[in-house]
Amino acid sequence: MAEVLGSMAQEGLLNIVGGCCGTTPDHIRAIAQAVADAAPRTPAGGTPYLRTSGLEAFTLTPDVNFVNVGERTNITGSPKFARHVQEGDWDAAVAVARQQVEAGAQLIDVNVDEGMLDGPATMTHFLNLLAGEPDVARVPVMIDSSRWEVLEAGLRCLQGKGIVNSLSLKDGEEEFLRRAAVVRRYGAAVVVMAFDEQGQADTLDRRTAVCERAYRLLTTPGATLPDPFPAHDIVFDPNVLTVATGMEEHDRYALDFIEATRWIKENLPGALVSGGISNVSFSFRGNNTVREAMHSVFLLHAIRAGLDMGIVNAGMLGVYEDIDPVLREHVEDVVLARRPDATERLIELAERIKAQTEDAGPGGGGPSAAAAAKLAWRDADVTERLRHALVHGIDTYVVEDAEEAYQQLGSGLQVIEGPLMAGMDVVGDLFGAGKMFLPQVVKSARVMKKAVAHLTPYLEAAAAETGGRTKGRVVMATVKGDVHDIGKNIVGVVLGCNGYEVTDLGVMVPAEKILATADEIGADVVGVSGLITPSLDEMVSLATEMQRRGLTTPLLIGGATTSAAHTAVKIDPAYEGTVVHVVDASRAVGVVADAINHEEKLRERTALTYAELRERHAGKKVSLVPLEAARASTRAVTGPVPATPSLLGTQVLEPTLAELVAVVDWTPFFTAWELRGSYPRILDDPKVGEQARTTWADGQRWLERILDEGLLRARGVVGLWPARRDGDDILVDTGTGTGDGPAGPVRLHTLRQQRERSQGGYAALADFVAPEGDHVGASPSRSTGPRSWRPGCARSTTTTARSWSRCWPTASRRRSPSGPTGRSAPGCGATRRRRTCRSRTWSRSGTTGSARHPATRRSRTTPRSSPCGTFSTPSVPPGWC
């Protein structure tokens, strides 16, 4: 313990260190000695962003488009939550908070203002309950009350950094500053309502004047507030007020909020803006169709003006583009105050919508408005029909629409490059804005493919007449050393569906083969992909080779580890031809089209961006210390050396696929399809749940086929060998024990950190291996069939947090073979520290235990051989320890 804490202190990570239950005076003495010469942690220079936290930190950076503050734990806005709190059903009340987080809320708003409740006691009790609920406690809390004593009670028990909602000037400057000083002392951020001594600010001039006055008071040191707020910890709420009330003086409420938001962002540097979004639609309570449309329209324009966050029910938000055009126009007339009769027109439309909904109920005898809307798009012109079919993935009518477009334009190529490509551009824009998901993009591409298939005879006939080809040829590959190809395959599907001739070379493709193929087929574009970091260097090598050969073929770069910055700094300078980073599959078609048909314009456009990125990168200075100085200040362990494991050498494991299915972590499956969320909760996610369930069902059908037909076979090899540290190297004796390795030790070279550290302690991997008597382990794994390779790893058994069993095959990764109490199995010196894994157990030698996957709920008790004896394979996802 002292060694680990001493290392952390030397790294400058600690301010205070001590013991807890189980520690003795000897422990404390050892800890004190270990940290005696370490300086306290020096906080790094802050960035001008709002930083909040629950158990996890949340930073509001410019990349975050909008922060959704969950509103359903507000007793004044949620009858369900109010009922639970008033009846004392705290489990149900906590469940409401959990649902908000699962629905995507990045913060939760807690308000318990009710005349019959003890506000301070209720707030304290509920926040304490949330602190014990890990799924909820991880997000920051916005304490919401109009009573100061309730806010202060919440501040006293709030963990992490929260936000106080709210303070205002309605009680005068002196009281405003006194309360602000208390909030500042507790370390919270603050929401400032646009109220002052005259009351609520309800016009643009009043809103801006009150906010400017509050900003000046909170950012200027004074006797009452000696430590002023940083601007990014001030959130203004310029009052979202109800529109369409029938009162003329209310007509500009929404528009004035939007304009006030824009003014605050332009004139009060660093300040943020929030609002209670549902307030805008109270006039239409009971008509959710209209309310959802009002929320979506209002948010769209407010976010464009600079709105940073909002208290909103994600379940009552629709997609702006999906709102019925007539309804959207009427709502925008109200929100933007575009015409004097906007309220009357929206009320009339709302009554018609409500009547249609009621008539469409059971026995209503008429079609619902939703059903009518589903076919209303068929009345549009053919260009709009093709766009709608692509965006919504509807292939029912695409053949007849493609034929109609061909008859109008007289060219299959014009149909593809005209209405079809225009539709795919919309798909790309929606995907980039987070309004579509990757499986939907692929579905759209399949609709495109069906349309292109119908037009192909026309394209071929035109090509035969001209002797040329209608599109372009693309060579694609995952670079050498990388086997990941899901993203590349999706790009290939999308390009193929758009009429391009795609030659996919697969994975682990060396540069020579890529360029030879491109030369052989006369490729117009070369596209390479990679997921792991070494792929980035391979892409640089490819660009260098293309330059050496004097090529000019455009080079497209894609994959999870790639970025525009790396492309600009490392790849683009290595090749004089056009180099473009492609963000995602939805953008591939447009980039390829530009690379083939408008290369000069594409190069000019990217050149400016890349020059800026290179300049920004060049401004980052990295100071390095000499290697000898780094070696003189290491974090090398000295012992104690654990017991020798009972078995050394290698062991081969060949589990059946059925056994492995039970321990698959399905979250990366959804991540690969760019559906964000953890399994199984993602299946019920209000935003991506429907698409996740569809994608999951497709995956399960393929998995069933793989199992039934035996398409794959799994093998795993684990090894454990004696090892010792020799300077910056690890000497591994693979010839000891079973005699299955070469004579003499194998030297593994490791690199030592040299970037300057204020506290010293420059680490190399060798530091975590003892000078004598230690052991390291490794485990590659593969499957026959499609290539899959998990890079091996080497771990020391000296440091308790780095057990060699972390290098175990997939079925038991991240878990040590230990008994029900968490102690090491007999004869295994791999794990010395107790590891608690949510009561999941391992069996001791010769016995079996079981564990249940939180999603599948299936027990696994199949014993398997290991260097530590026989153990069972718990059905748990990676990361539970």
Side-chain angles (χ1 to χ4, degrees):
M1 178 186 294
E3 181 181 347
V4 173
L5 292 175
S7 175
M8 295 172 67
Q10 293 296 334
E11 293 178 30
L13 301 178
L14 305 179
N15 291 102
I16 301 174
V17 64
C20 190
C21 52
T23 55
T24 66
D26 290 338
H27 286 93
I28 302 302
R29 186 177 300 107
I31 293 171
Q33 293 172 354
V35 302
D37 60 344
R41 171 180 173 269
T42 302
T47 52
Y49 304 136
L50 172 65
R51 297 176 180 271
T52 59
S53 67
L55 294 178
E56 299 175 2
F58 175 77
T59 303
L60 181 52
T61 67
D63 297 330
V64 180
N65 183 38
F66 177 73
V67 177
N68 180 3
V69 183
E71 71 167 0
R72 307 314 292 168
T73 45
N74 186 322
I75 207 169
T76 61
S78 172
K80 180 180 179 181
F81 178 73
R83 184 174 67 254
H84 294 326
V85 172
Q86 290 167 346
E87 294 174 356
D89 189 353
W90 296 109
D91 288 341
V94 171
V96 172
R98 187 186 308 112
Q99 291 163 3
Q100 290 285 278
V101 176
E102 291 172 350
Q106 292 127 309
L107 292 87
I108 57 171
D109 180 89
V110 177
N111 184 306
V112 293
D113 284 358
E114 207 281 332
M116 299 303 294
L117 292 175
D118 183 339
T122 303
M123 177 66 78
T124 300
H125 182 66
F126 186 65
L127 291 181
N128 286 338
L129 291 175
L130 295 186
E133 185 68 25
D135 289 339
V136 182
R138 66 182 182 83
V139 303
V141 173
M142 179 179 284
I143 310 169
D144 188 352
S145 179
S146 58
R147 299 166 56 196
W148 170 248
E149 61 270 27
V150 176
L151 295 175
E152 192 166 14
L155 283 170
R156 290 193 181 108
C157 63
L158 191 65
Q159 63 180 357
K161 178 180 177 179
I163 304 176
V164 167
N165 185 11
S166 58
L167 300 184
S168 75
L169 285 161
K170 64 181 180 181
D171 295 322
E173 290 186 2
E174 183 177 350
E175 187 64 11
F176 174 69
L177 289 172
R178 185 189 69 80
R179 292 173 177 175
V182 175
V183 174
R184 184 72 175 132
R185 190 160 63 246
Y186 279 107
V190 62
V191 174
V192 179
M193 297 292 295
F195 283 75
D196 64 3
E197 299 88 342
Q198 301 176 37
Q200 186 178 53
D202 56 0
T203 65
L204 176 59
D205 290 340
R206 287 266 294 132
R207 284 176 164 104
T208 56
V210 173
C211 291
E212 182 179 32
R213 178 184 172 199
Y215 181 89
R216 174 176 49 80
L217 291 170
L218 291 176
T219 57
T220 303
T224 308
L225 184 63
D227 181 18
F229 280 78
H232 54 263
D233 274 359
I234 304 172
V235 184
F236 286 106
D237 185 339
N239 301 326
V240 179
L241 304 176
T242 305
V243 295
T245 63
M247 301 176 65
E248 185 177 348
E249 58 267 32
H250 297 171
D251 289 349
R252 287 186 56 90
Y253 275 174
L255 180 59
D256 281 352
F257 178 94
I258 294 169
E259 293 301 324
T261 298
R262 182 174 288 108
W263 185 93
I264 290 170
K265 302 300 286 188
E266 292 173 353
N267 294 278
L268 305 181
L272 306 176
V273 183
S274 178
I277 306 304
S278 60
N279 293 350
V280 77
S281 65
F282 277 172
S283 293
F284 294 92
R285 281 174 291 182
N287 192 327
N288 286 344
T289 301
V290 175
R291 292 199 71 184
E292 289 175 11
M294 293 183 72
H295 297 166
S296 299
V297 169
F298 179 66
L299 267 179
L300 176 79
H301 293 285
I303 291 172
R304 286 177 176 175
L307 184 68
D308 299 288
M309 63 180 68
I311 303 172
V312 61
N313 179 8
M316 288 191 69
L317 278 180
V319 178
Y320 177 85
E321 285 81 4
D322 288 345
I323 302 172
D324 177 81
V326 175
L327 175 58
R328 185 169 62 219
E329 179 185 2
H330 283 58
V331 168
E332 288 194 318
D333 287 342
V334 168
V335 170
L336 302 179
R338 294 194 300 202
R339 50 189 296 168
D341 61 343
T343 296
E344 290 75 17
R345 295 175 74 243
L346 182 57
I347 292 173
E348 180 182 351
L349 179 60
E351 289 173 351
R352 291 203 306 269
I353 292 173
K354 188 173 183 179
Q356 290 172 350
T357 304
E358 292 172 350
D359 291 342
S368 68
K374 285 183 178 179
L375 291 177
W377 65 280
R378 296 300 304 159
D379 297 329
D381 61 60
V382 67
T383 299
E384 177 59 26
R385 295 201 303 270
L386 287 171
R387 185 204 68 81
H388 188 278
L390 288 167
V391 171
H392 295 275
I394 303 171
D395 66 355
T396 308
Y397 312 98
V398 72
V399 170
E400 61 187 76
D401 288 345
E403 177 63 27
E404 182 180 339
Y406 173 76
Q407 295 300 328
Q408 288 184 8
L409 299 175
S411 166
L413 183 59
Q414 288 186 34
V415 175
I416 293 174
E417 294 184 341
L420 289 177
M421 281 303 300
M424 288 304 293
D425 287 342
V426 174
V427 170
D429 292 338
L430 292 174
F431 180 76
K435 298 174 182 177
M436 287 185 72
F437 309 108
L438 192 57
Q440 293 170 303
V441 173
V442 175
K443 190 175 181 181
S444 298
R446 288 170 179 159
V447 176
M448 181 78 168
K449 184 176 184 179
K450 191 171 182 178
V452 172
H454 176 74
L455 297 170
T456 297
Y458 301 127
L459 298 173
E460 292 174 345
E465 292 176 4
T466 61
R469 61 178 189 267
T470 57
K471 281 291 192 178
R473 293 173 179 169
V474 181
V475 169
M476 298 177 58
T478 300
V479 295
K480 184 175 68 175
D482 199 330
V483 300
H484 300 90
D485 63 355
I486 291 178
K488 173 180 65 65
N489 292 344
I490 293 170
V491 171
V493 170
V494 173
L495 290 176
C497 291
N498 282 273
Y500 290 93
E501 181 183 329
V502 178
T503 301
D504 189 341
L505 300 179
V507 301
M508 303 259 313
V509 186
E512 293 78 8
K513 183 176 180 180
I514 295 173
L515 298 182
T517 304
D519 180 63
E520 179 184 343
I521 69 171
D524 299 291
V525 173
V526 172
V528 290
S529 175
L531 182 68
I532 59 178
T533 304
S535 300
L536 300 176
D537 295 332
E538 191 63 32
M539 292 174 182
V540 175
S541 298
L542 173 65
T544 302
E545 179 62 17
M546 294 177 72
Q547 178 65 26
R548 189 188 70 79
R549 296 189 183 192
L551 302 181
T552 58
T553 308
L555 175 62
L556 306 190
I557 304 296
T561 58
T562 64
S563 66
H566 178 270
T567 303
V569 175
K570 296 294 184 69
I571 303 177
D572 185 59
Y575 182 48
E576 292 181 1
T578 301
V579 180
V580 183
H581 177 252
V582 184
V583 178
D584 54 60
S586 69
R587 302 294 179 184
V589 175
V591 174
V592 170
D594 286 346
I596 294 175
N597 303 312
H598 311 288
E599 185 179 357
E600 287 302 319
K601 291 183 179 179
L602 178 64
R603 182 183 299 184
E604 291 174 5
R605 189 166 67 243
T606 57
L608 294 175
T609 302
Y610 289 172
E612 181 182 344
L613 290 172
R614 282 192 289 268
E615 182 179 353
R616 190 182 308 166
H617 176 78
K620 298 179 180 178
K621 296 182 179 179
V622 177
S623 298
L624 300 179
V625 301
L627 180 58
E628 292 306 318
R631 286 173 173 167
S633 176
T634 74
R635 287 180 274 175
V637 298
T638 58
V641 177
T644 302
S646 59
L647 290 176
L648 295 175
T650 59
Q651 304 290 320
V652 178
L653 302 177
E654 297 187 86
T656 66
L657 292 181
E659 290 178 287
L660 295 181
V661 166
V663 294
V664 169
D665 176 14
W666 286 101
T667 297
F669 170 77
F670 295 101
T671 301
W673 284 100
E674 298 189 12
L675 295 170
R676 305 303 181 192
S678 59
Y679 176 82
R681 289 197 299 269
I682 190 174
L683 299 178
D684 298 317
D685 189 282
K687 184 177 181 182
V688 302
E690 181 179 356
Q691 191 60 51
R693 289 190 294 272
T694 301
T695 307
W696 164 257
D698 290 341
Q700 291 304 300
R701 283 192 292 270
W702 276 101
L703 179 60
E704 184 177 350
R705 178 184 171 188
I706 291 170
L707 294 174
D708 292 343
E709 300 180 18
L711 300 180
L712 300 175
R713 182 167 62 89
R715 299 189 69 207
V717 181
V718 296
L720 185 63
W721 305 281
R724 60 186 176 87
R725 182 176 73 246
D726 182 20
D728 292 350
D729 300 338
I730 303 173
L731 297 181
V732 182
D733 189 357
T734 59
T736 302
T738 61
D740 58 353
V746 174
R747 182 177 293 272
L748 303 179
H749 302 287
T750 69
L751 296 176
R752 184 165 299 281
Q753 295 172 332
Q754 288 181 257
R755 178 173 293 187
E756 189 174 25
R757 301 163 57 89
S758 59
Q759 302 297 328
Y762 299 93
L765 287 179
D767 289 354
F768 302 103
V769 179
E772 294 292 340
D774 211 336
H775 298 82
V776 297
S779 70
S781 64
R782 69 179 180 88
S783 63
T784 58
R787 285 185 181 177
S788 176
W789 178 258
R790 185 182 303 279
C793 55
R795 296 281 187 179
S796 165
T797 61
T798 297
T799 52
T800 58
R802 294 175 173 82
S803 166
W804 70 270
S805 62
R806 290 178 63 90
C807 298
W808 207 251
T810 305
S812 57
R813 287 180 70 83
R814 301 178 186 255
R815 188 176 291 269
S816 304
S818 56
T821 62
R823 294 184 295 272
S824 299
C828 181
T831 304
R832 293 171 23 242
R833 186 170 67 181
R834 178 182 177 122
R835 298 171 69 93
T836 303
C837 299
R838 295 193 181 183
S839 76
R840 269 61 179 177
T841 61
W842 289 82
S843 66
R844 292 184 181 277
S845 298
T847 65
T848 61
S850 65
R852 300 196 338 163
H853 192 294
T856 62
R857 303 300 185 196
R858 291 186 292 178
S859 296
R860 296 293 309 146
T861 58
T862 306
R864 198 171 289 171
S865 175
S866 83
C868 299
T870 302
F871 62 93
S872 63
T873 302
S875 301
V876 295
W880 275 60
C881 289

